[in-house]
Every structure is written in structure tokens, then in C-alpha cells.
Amino acid sequence: MRMHSPSRSLLITVALACTLGSSAAFAQEAKEETPKPQQASEDGEKKEAKPVDQDAPIAFGDVIEVEKKPQESEVELTPEQAVKKAAADKIARENSLKRQALRELKMNDPGPACADGIILEDGKVDTGYGFVTSAVMGEYVQRFDSKLFPSRDITEVCVCWIRGSDVNHIDFEVVFYKDASGRPANSPYAVVEARSEGLPYKTVNSGRFYPAAIEGVTIPEGASFIGVRYNPSENPKIYICADQGPETAKVPGFQREDRAKGWDNLLNTKDWIFSQHRALSIRAVGAKPAEGEATADVPGEDGAEAAAGGDAR
């Protein structure tokens, strides 16, 4: 940690730091060093520093200026004291981020999401996948079978997001691909713009599902791959939640980014961060047929893969 000489005023930017650690959940981000995103307000405009009462609550995104009380004598820390202070400061920052995350979860809880749809994960957040911020396009998609839905008209897709930076929203596209011999086709047959706001900071089991309304999309008979496409360079350190539970049935999923030659199979890849992958946290809802209309048959053994996953978050 860099130590700065004390001064009469201290500029504090309330920003959430993301420490990747050794978790495979966010290991892909460690492949490339990225600059820390600039502190910004909800509308993207940079906030000006303002003096505040040190005892007053701090709103997320505020840049504040706190007057530091003069001390009679400034004592230079020994190396041992500096190490202890750095460790204490790190713990304090982490605790602050956890408290902020809990406040955001309470304020932005969207409630049960796609609970009446096709759920292929167990409802828990084991990890999250993202892309390095030098990529300008990244996609994660998952296989859904049309016979699992009550109808092939899709009305909603829910995606679980988690963040590792102070960017707490994401603009993305919900994408639909036809099955091409067990893999997604090269181009989607439907694209729907979407936005999720109030994303929770990464703490244990803190991911949240956010619904995206879908209109005018009818999936073809058979398999489709449904997922998300976004710009990682504009949405730094935003991750899609994933299930690694050993009891969850494996669901075919794929990912790619703009520099890749093709789709990468999450269940059969050399990339070690997907070594325990089971399912992406993506859910989809089919329109309920009108009274008197025939409904699609939901199979027995095949349908078991669509596990009614735990508590929808």
C-alpha cells in the first residue's frame, strides 16, 4: 500500500475497490491490468468534491472533502507500524464495502425473478464470469429446450449480475441463437436491449436476478441458446453469476468475445476458471397459453435438468 504524507485536508473518494484474490470466480479479470474507473454519479457526470460532516452518512458515488484536524506532532511510522496500519486500513475498507453492499441489496432487491420460468441453476451464487476490459464485445449464452416452455413465445429473461467495481449498472442485450449442431449459430435470430441497475457488490451469495421484458420473440422448436451480450470496456468488472454446485445438472453454455475465433464451450474448455461450471444464472419465461389452448408437453427425465432452483433472488 502506498503511504502518503499527512496533510491538512484529505480528499476521499467513495469508490468500491475490487480485490480479486485467489477465487476462480473472478480470475479471468486478472489476465489484464485495468485502470480504476472514474468516480461518477448515476447519470455519468463527475461529482465535485464537497465538505461534509464526518459523522454524516455518505451517499454512494459522492466525492467528499474532509478537513483533517491538525496534530501537535507528526510522527513518522516505522516500517512495522506502516505494515500494521496498511492491514488495518484494508480491513476497514473491506468492511465498508460489505456494509454498502448490504444497504444496496435492501434498497435494490427486485424480488423473485422469473420464478415461474425455466430455472436451470440452484438459485445460489457460487461465482461470476466476466471479460477483460480490453474486449469491446462479450457474450455468455445457455441452452434452453423449447419443449420445457408452456409456449414458445418468450415474455421475460432474467439475468443474475454481480459487480466488482463502483459501476453499479449495466447496459446489455439479451440475445437468442439457434442451435447449430450443439453449438450456438454465428448470428442471433433475435436481440433485445436491456438495462440492469443497482447491481450488488461481490459478497458471499450476493448476486441478484434482474428481469428484462421480451416482446415479439418466438423461439424455434428444439434448442435455442439464450444469453447476454455487452461491452466489457464500458461495463468494467461486471460479472454474470454462475452455479458450480456439484448437485446441479450440467447445462451446455458458451462464451466468446470480439477477438475470439468462435464459441468456447464452458463444459469442455482448457480455461481453468470454468473447470467447475454447471450452469449460468439465466432464466427464461414462456407465455402462458390462453384458456383452451394446448400446452407443450413437459418431459420427465429431460425436464429434470430444469431444476426449480432454490430461493429466487
Side-chain angles (χ1 to χ4, degrees), residues 54-284:
Q54 294 189 43
D55 295 327
I58 301 172
F60 176 75
D62 279 349
V63 177
I64 62 174
E65 186 174 318
V66 180
E67 290 296 325
K68 183 180 178 183
K69 296 180 180 179
Q71 299 180 3
E72 294 182 358
S73 62
E74 300 288 353
V75 179
E76 185 175 351
L77 299 178
T78 65
E80 183 179 357
Q81 290 173 328
V83 171
K84 290 182 178 180
K85 184 178 185 302
D89 289 344
K90 180 180 179 181
I91 293 174
R93 287 195 302 271
E94 291 176 349
N95 289 337
S96 176
L97 294 179
K98 289 179 180 179
R99 288 193 295 270
Q100 177 67 38
L102 290 175
R103 287 194 294 270
E104 290 184 7
L105 288 178
K106 293 177 181 179
M107 292 187 299
N108 300 293
D109 186 355
C114 293
D116 57 345
I118 304 304
I119 301 175
L120 304 175
E121 25 67 38
D122 63 7
K124 298 179 181 179
V125 179
D126 296 318
T127 188
Y129 305 142
F131 295 97
V132 293
T133 54
S134 58
V136 296
M137 186 279 288
E139 294 180 275
Y140 282 98
V141 297
Q142 181 162 269
R143 185 182 186 274
F144 289 83
D145 199 310
S146 64
K147 61 187 177 183
L148 299 178
F149 294 92
S151 78
R152 292 191 286 115
D153 296 325
I154 304 301
T155 60
E156 195 173 47
V157 170
C158 296
V159 183
C160 177
W161 296 106
I162 193 170
R163 65 187 171 92
S165 71
D166 59 351
V167 178
N168 70 343
H169 63 271
I170 182 172
D171 293 298
F172 64 101
E173 295 172 321
V174 179
V175 290
F176 298 80
Y177 288 88
K178 290 183 178 180
D179 179 276
S181 301
R183 303 173 69 84
N186 189 52
S187 300
Y189 63 81
V191 177
V192 178
E193 293 184 353
R195 179 182 175 92
S196 296
E197 299 181 336
L199 309 184
Y201 185 79
K202 63 180 184 73
T203 55
V204 177
N205 205 27
S206 70
R208 291 281 166 174
F209 280 95
Y210 293 87
I214 307 297
E215 295 183 3
V217 176
T218 300
I219 60 175
E221 187 173 355
S224 280
F225 288 88
I226 304 175
V228 298
R229 179 170 66 191
Y230 66 99
N231 186 337
S233 67
E234 295 179 354
N235 300 275
K237 298 182 180 179
I238 302 295
Y239 308 95
I240 186 171
C241 309
D243 182 358
Q244 294 181 328
E247 296 182 357
T248 301
K250 292 182 179 181
V251 183
F254 292 81
Q255 65 89 13
R256 69 176 177 180
E257 46 110 335
D258 57 283
R259 296 165 296 187
K261 295 181 179 179
W263 292 101
D264 185 25
N265 188 340
L266 301 183
L267 297 176
N268 184 21
T269 176
K270 295 180 180 179
D271 198 330
W272 65 272
I273 71 170
F274 304 116
S275 61
Q276 300 181 59
H277 178 73
R278 292 287 177 162
L280 293 170
S281 297
I282 301 172
R283 301 174 178 180

